[in-house]
Amino acid sequence: QVQLVESGGGSVQAGGSLRLSCGASGVIYSVHCMGWFRQAPGKEREGVAAIYTAGGSTAYVDSVKGRFTIAQDSAKNRVYLQMNNLKSEDTAMYYCAAGYGLGGPDCRGYLGQGTQVTVSS
């Protein structure tokens, strides 16, 4: 079992920045990747970004490339999502994820409780 706790969400105006943080505990050594999903009202959950623990490679959904950066602090079992130049369409509940992936931004297995990000235009 892996437990994930997110923090750092909030409200910001378009063009602003937020940094999400996720702390992981439990059987961390078993995960292949960590990442972030988001889900906006009325939309399906989508993988936003993932980082693969073995080589540190990263992957992003096209809509956030160049604006979001995922990073990991392995020593502290934490993963971060730096979000710059936020847009109204980034408004969603953001979930930290840990588990397995195929090299893309979807890292499936465990999800945190979520943290809300609201971007006003």
Side-chain angles (χ1 to χ4, degrees), residues 53-64:
T53 55
S57 61
T58 59
Y60 301 90
V61 68
D62 285 347
S63 59
V64 308

Side-chain angles (χ1 to χ4, degrees), residues 58-108:
T58 59
Y60 301 90
V61 68
D62 285 347
S63 59
V64 308
K65 286 180 180 177
R67 299 188 298 120
F68 289 13
T69 302
I70 189 170
Q72 186 177 25
D73 184 338
S74 299
K76 297 182 179 179
N77 291 330
R78 301 196 71 84
V79 65
Y80 306 95
L81 186 68
Q82 178 66 43
M83 305 184 294
N84 297 328
N85 190 23
L86 282 160
K87 304 177 180 180
S88 57
E89 51 263 43
D90 295 318
T91 295
M93 184 70 78
Y94 283 71
Y95 299 88
C96 181
Y100 296 88
L102 298 176
D106 292 357
C107 180
R108 297 182 179 273

